[in-house]
């Protein structure tokens, strides 16, 4: 039994020993506490027992406690077994039906503990009974601190419950405290409770802060290490509540400690239903747990429900739970269907939006279980709600990241496939164009045949344009950014742009007087601008106006344009054409997506511009609406002073002197391309030697040192064209070389300073390149530029 302090001054000079026990009993006013003798005869009776059972003390003392049990339980000898269990195991605990004086039933939580003398002899039993059938009324009446204390007392067997005076000295001590802490009542009463804390916690003044928080905020709750008498540690869950009299004067503290260090062992021993119950109790602060009657009206309300939903118990008890559902769910009769499913299948589980008192929404995980009486009749529902909004947001973010990753993998695979196919087609088109060109020169005077060959050449040229775009898409371009005056760039392109769209469409410009230079690759910017203007033309089949404008802006945090903070130049192309709907606009930059007819577009233009702007540190922004036209914005970071743009890759001789016959070594691993290139050179009057690999070419050069010119393919197995040229220059530093490649976007570092000839090329393209290189060899000045992006 609990021993009171003998020094009243430690707990309050105004309180006697009986007064302290009276306050403690009032704090557990939801329990019937009474004593039984060895045979189960009632020997004491408290007001709580009279309130629950209906008997006065005069009526019940001396009667056997079995009268509180149902006929069924008495027939099963439950009262006698309860006393035997308490005696042999130290405790009996059960929930079940109990009978009041008026014959009414109540569902009770019962604990019976044996009472022994100091010598260990059994002298009786202490029985504590809690009427759980009136829990709803009790919850409505309880204050928050009373609710916490009710839950505490409900689990008293697993808790150390004791009182502290206002300074923190132990005033009472229960058997749970002795079991957890190891101290007897005589050893600990009067000692300061800080001895249960670790050295580290005492050094940080945690005991002092715990009392201050409980005093000022109404409760202190904490988990941490606590120290037993023998020095061992236990992980404890601690709640400290202040105890005040009716006038608000602090009388002391109620301290409840739970040893959680054995929780894992207890969890392993639990069975299915016990495990679910433990998990529920363990996470009770994160759950809204409340009861519904069979019609769906709220019958009780816990603090978790108050925290999630925003309603107090007074506001919500008696109201229908459908008010927590969205208007859409109520229209589909979801609340009624949920209860019907729980009633028919014993359980309903779902996730969805729920509505708080203030109208805000949260994503909830909901479980509804049917509650039935002993005879199987439906008496209501237990409803548990968990706010999982953060988890849902995290899942959505994870799914978005996964989708982006899969899209990136898909585009990488598409690029690799596209590049391989386009490279092979490029070689085939080179052969077709070369053969058609030479065949045209040898045509008889047949206008129809000449028309057919011209048509074939045009088709092959269009195919060549397509393969170049596919190759550019398949490879990340190596840019050579410089400071570019976008206004000058547009003006220099104006004639080409107007020719590209025809006379039916007018191009206007809107430029400020001054604008900062943009940091960009001018060649790629020109191609992007031309592409956008042609797209604008195609959007206005009946004619219209294209407006090209430029502006300079300072950008802060920008998620719409996906730009980092800084200064940018915005070059925009606006048309007044048909425009795009939202679905088309969302796909506009996807590779191979096009709204043009077959043969009128590759679907790569906007995708390439998008990649170019991102690679340049900028962004492509499209704005459009059906019937209102489209605006395409190229955002580029501001650069330094304007620098001259790098030259293009054309080889243009300054003179028109005809070439002489040369001895040319041609290298290509594709036999068709090799034969075609050799045939075109021989048709131009040159002497040609052929090689199918870099190694064969080096051997040929060593055997024939009189070679005047080397023309090599770039992409070959074993040794690339760039590697071959480097090897040739090591042995023949002055040997003119020409790199023929289908990869128009090949970086300059692949073969620095080496003129390029893009595949597929015509005989005229080949003749100009050879003429330029010949003039350079003879010392004449060349105006040629090597494209390096």
């Amino acid at each position: 039994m609990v021993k009171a302090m003998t020094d009243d001054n430690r707990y309050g000079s105004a309180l006697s020993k009986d007064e302290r026990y009276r306050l403690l009993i009032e704090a557990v006013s939801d329990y019937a506490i009474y004593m039984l003798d060895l045979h189960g005869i009632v020997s004491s009776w408290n007001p709580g027992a009279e309130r629950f059972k209906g008997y006065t003390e005069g009526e019940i003392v001396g009667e056997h406690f079995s009268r509180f049990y149902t006929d069924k339980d008495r027939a099963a000898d439950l009262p006698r077994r309860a006393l035997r269990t308490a005696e042999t195991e130290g405790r009996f605990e059960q929930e079940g039906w109990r009978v009041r004086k008026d014959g009414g039933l109540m569902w009770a939580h019962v604990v019976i503990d044996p009472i022994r003398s100091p010598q260990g002899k059994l002298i009786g039993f202490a029985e504590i009974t809690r009427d759980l059938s009136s829990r709803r009324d009790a919850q409505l009446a309880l204050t928050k601190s009373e609710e916490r204390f009710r839950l505490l007392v409900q689990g008293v067997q697993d808790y150390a419950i004791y009182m502290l005076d206002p300074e923190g000295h132990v005033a009472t001590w229960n058997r749970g405290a002795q079991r957890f802490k190891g101290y007897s009542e005589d050893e600990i009463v009067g000692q300061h409770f800080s001895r249960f804390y670790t050295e580290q916690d005492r050094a940080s003044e945690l005991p002092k802060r715990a009392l201050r928080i409980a005093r000022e905020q109404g409760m202190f709750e904490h988990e941490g290490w606590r120290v037993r008498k023998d020095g061992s540690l236990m992980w404890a869950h601690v709640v400290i509540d202040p105890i005040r009299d009716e006038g608000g004067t602090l009388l002391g503290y109620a301290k409840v400690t739970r040893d959680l260090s054995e929780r894992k062992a207890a969890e392993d021993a639990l069975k299915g239903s016990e495990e679910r119950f433990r998990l529920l109790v363990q996470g009770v602060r994160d759950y809204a747990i409340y009861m519904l009657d069979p019609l769906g009206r709220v019958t009780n309300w816990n603090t978790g429900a108050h925290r999630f939903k925003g309603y107090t118990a007074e506001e919500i008890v008696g109201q229908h739970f459908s008010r927590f559902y969205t208007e859409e769910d109520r229209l589909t009769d979801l609340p009624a269907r949920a209860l019907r499913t729980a009633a028919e299948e014993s359980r309903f589980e779902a996730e969805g939006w729920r509505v708080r008192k203030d109208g805000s929404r949260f994503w909830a995980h909901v479980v509804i279980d049917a509650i039935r009486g002993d005879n199987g009749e439906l008496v209501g529902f237990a409803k548990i709600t968990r706010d999982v909004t953060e988890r849902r947001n995290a899942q959505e973010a994870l799914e978005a990241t996964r989708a982006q990753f899969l899209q990136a993998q898909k585009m990488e695979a598409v690029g690799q496939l596209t590049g391989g196919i386009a490279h092979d087609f490029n070689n085939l088109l080179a052969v077709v164009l070369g053969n058609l060109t030479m065949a045209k020169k040898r045509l008889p005077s047949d206008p129809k045949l000449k028309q057919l060959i011209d048509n074939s050449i045009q088709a092959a040229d269009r195919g060549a344009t397509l393969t170049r775009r596919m190759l550019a898409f398949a490879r990340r371009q190596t840019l050579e950014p410089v400071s570019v005056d976008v206004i000058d760039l547009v003006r220099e392109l104006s004639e080409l742009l107007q020719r590209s769209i025809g006379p039916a469409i007018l191009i206007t410009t809107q430029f400020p007087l001054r604008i900062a230079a943009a940091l960009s690759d001018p060649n790629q910017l020109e191609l992007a601008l031309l592409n956008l203007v042609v797209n604008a033309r195609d959007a206005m089949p009946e004619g219209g106006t294209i407006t090209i404008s430029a502006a300079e802006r300072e950008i802060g945090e920008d998620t719409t344009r996906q730009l980092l903070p800084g200064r940018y130049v915005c070059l925009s192309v606006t048309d007044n054409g048909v425009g795009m709907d939202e679905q088309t606009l969302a796909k506009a930059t996807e590779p191979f997506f096009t709204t043009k007819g077959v043969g009128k577009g590759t679907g790569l233009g906007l995708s390439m511009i998008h990649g170019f702007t991102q690679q340049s540190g900028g962004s492509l922004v499209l704005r459009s609406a059906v019937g209102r036209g489209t605006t395409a914005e190229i955002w580029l970071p501001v650069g330094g002073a304007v620098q001259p743009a790098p030259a293009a890759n054309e080889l243009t001789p300054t003179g028109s002197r005809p070439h002489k016959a040369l001895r040319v070594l041609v290298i290509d691993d594709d036999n068709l391309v090799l034969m075609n290139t050799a045939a075109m050179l021989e048709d131009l009057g040159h002497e040609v030697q052929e090689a199918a690999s870099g190694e064969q070419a080096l051997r040929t050069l060593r055997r024939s040192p009189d070679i005047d010119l080397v023309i090599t393919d770039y992409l070959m197995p074993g040794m690339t064209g760039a590697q071959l040229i480097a090897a040739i220059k090591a042995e023949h530093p002055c040997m003119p070389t020409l790199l023929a490649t289908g990869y128009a976007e090949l970086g300059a570092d692949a073969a620095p300073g080496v003129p390029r000839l893009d595949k597929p090329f015509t005989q005229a393209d080949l003749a100009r390149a050879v003429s330029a290189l010949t003039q350079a060899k003879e010392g004449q000045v060349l105006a040629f530029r090597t494209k390096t992006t």
Side-chain angles (χ1 to χ4, degrees), residues 9-251:
N9 289 329
R10 288 192 175 275
Y11 184 68
S13 58
L15 295 177
S16 66
K17 172 181 176 181
D18 291 341
E19 179 66 12
R20 287 199 301 272
Y21 276 105
R22 186 188 66 78
L23 288 173
L24 183 58
I25 291 173
E26 286 179 353
V28 289
S29 59
D30 294 328
Y31 284 84
I33 303 174
Y34 52 95
M35 303 287 291
L36 305 174
D37 67 12
L38 290 173
H39 306 290
I41 304 300
V42 178
S43 59
S44 68
W45 198 247
N46 78 330
E50 181 174 340
R51 182 164 59 256
F52 290 161
K53 307 288 189 176
Y55 296 95
T56 65
E57 185 175 9
E59 293 173 320
I60 199 63
V61 170
E63 300 294 333
H64 198 273
F65 84 117
S66 61
R67 66 166 51 201
F68 307 138
Y69 287 74
T70 64
D71 291 340
K72 181 179 178 181
D73 286 342
R74 287 198 299 272
D77 204 21
L78 179 58
R80 187 181 63 80
R81 287 190 287 111
L83 296 185
R84 185 172 66 250
T85 299
E87 178 183 359
T88 58
E89 298 182 10
R91 183 181 68 179
F92 172 80
E93 183 176 4
Q94 190 220 22
E95 286 191 6
W97 291 113
R98 294 298 183 268
V99 183
R100 298 188 180 94
K101 176 182 177 181
D102 61 5
L105 296 178
M106 68 173 179
W107 186 259
H109 175 265
V110 176
V111 175
I112 302 176
D113 287 297
I115 302 174
R116 298 183 183 276
S117 68
Q119 292 76 29
K121 181 180 179 181
L122 181 67
I123 59 175
F125 300 92
E127 179 168 339
I128 302 175
T129 302
R130 172 64 168 164
D131 183 0
L132 299 183
S133 57
S134 61
R135 182 166 50 190
R136 175 184 173 227
D137 294 338
Q139 285 176 330
L140 293 174
L142 286 175
T143 63
K144 288 184 178 180
S145 61
E146 289 172 328
E147 171 67 8
R148 286 195 301 271
F149 192 73
R150 185 191 65 78
L151 292 173
L152 171 65
V153 174
Q154 186 178 0
V156 67
Q157 297 82 4
D158 296 325
Y159 285 84
I161 304 175
Y162 53 98
M163 297 182 66
L164 306 175
D165 69 12
E167 288 74 37
H169 298 94
V170 178
T172 66
W173 196 247
N174 78 333
R175 286 186 299 167
Q178 182 170 339
R179 182 167 63 254
F180 290 161
K181 305 287 190 177
Y183 295 94
S184 67
E185 184 177 12
D186 294 336
E187 292 174 317
I188 201 61
V189 169
Q191 301 298 319
H192 199 272
F193 84 113
S194 60
R195 67 165 50 201
F196 307 138
Y197 287 75
T198 64
E199 288 288 346
Q200 182 179 358
D201 286 344
R202 289 199 297 270
S204 66
E205 294 189 334
L206 178 57
K208 181 179 178 181
R209 287 187 286 112
L211 296 185
R212 184 178 69 251
I213 292 172
R215 183 174 63 252
E216 296 175 355
Q217 300 181 13
M219 183 185 74
F220 172 80
E221 188 170 4
H222 179 255
E223 283 192 9
W225 292 111
R226 294 298 182 268
V227 183
R228 298 186 181 94
K229 176 184 176 181
D230 61 7
S232 62
L233 296 178
M234 68 173 179
W235 185 260
H237 175 268
V238 177
V239 175
I240 302 177
D241 286 293
I243 299 175
R244 300 180 184 276
D245 62 16
E246 294 179 355
T249 301
L250 181 69
L251 302 178

Side-chain angles (χ1 to χ4, degrees), residues 489-675:
L489 182 142
V490 173
R491 287 171 178 164
E492 290 174 2
L493 280 178
S494 58
E495 184 177 348
L496 173 61
L497 294 176
Q498 191 64 64
R499 285 201 313 269
S500 301
I501 61 177
I505 296 176
L506 175 66
I507 295 180
T508 65
T509 58
Q510 295 179 355
F511 296 138
L513 294 177
R514 298 182 62 184
I515 191 171
L519 184 63
S520 179
D521 185 310
N523 294 321
Q524 294 301 320
L525 184 56
E526 288 177 0
L527 291 174
L529 183 61
L530 178 60
N531 203 321
L532 293 178
V533 169
V534 171
N535 283 351
R537 176 203 66 189
D538 295 341
M540 299 183 292
E542 304 300 326
T545 301
I546 297 175
T547 301
I548 303 176
S549 58
E552 178 184 348
R553 295 184 187 175
E554 182 77 25
I555 299 297
E557 293 292 337
D558 192 317
T559 57
T560 303
R561 302 183 184 91
Q562 297 181 335
L563 295 172
L564 296 174
R567 290 173 60 222
Y568 291 84
V569 172
C570 175
L571 183 63
S572 61
V573 177
T574 302
D575 65 65
N576 55 4
V578 295
M580 294 180 283
D581 57 30
E582 292 184 4
Q583 185 177 8
T584 302
L585 186 62
K587 296 182 177 180
T589 59
E590 293 183 4
F592 306 109
F593 177 81
T594 179
T595 59
K596 301 176 183 178
V598 177
K600 297 182 179 180
T602 64
L604 293 174
L606 288 177
S607 176
M608 292 169 61
I609 297 172
H610 175 69
F612 156 66
T613 55
Q614 285 197 326
Q615 194 175 344
S616 302
S619 178
L620 172 65
V621 179
L622 300 178
R623 309 180 193 280
S624 186
V626 176
R628 298 183 182 180
T630 300
T631 296
E633 298 175 349
I634 295 177
W635 290 79
L636 296 168
V638 167
V642 176
Q643 302 173 7
N649 67 333
E650 297 155 356
L651 299 173
T652 307
T654 57
S656 58
R657 162 182 168 179
H659 66 272
K660 67 177 183 179
L662 302 174
R663 292 176 296 278
V664 183
L665 174 60
V666 179
I667 307 98
D668 201 303
D669 63 308
D670 190 315
N671 187 54
L672 290 176
V673 178
L674 180 61
M675 183 180 69

Side-chain angles (χ1 to χ4, degrees), residues 281-322:
V281 174
Q282 183 182 3
V284 68
R285 289 174 294 175
D286 296 328
Y287 283 84
I289 305 174
Y290 52 98
M291 305 283 293
L292 306 175
D293 67 15
L295 298 178
R297 293 184 295 251
V298 179
T299 59
N300 60 28
W301 198 246
N302 79 331
T303 55
H306 183 192
R307 182 165 61 253
F308 288 163
K309 309 284 191 176
Y311 296 94
T312 64
E314 291 77 8
E315 293 172 321
I316 201 61
V317 169
Q319 302 297 320
H320 199 271
F321 84 116
S322 60

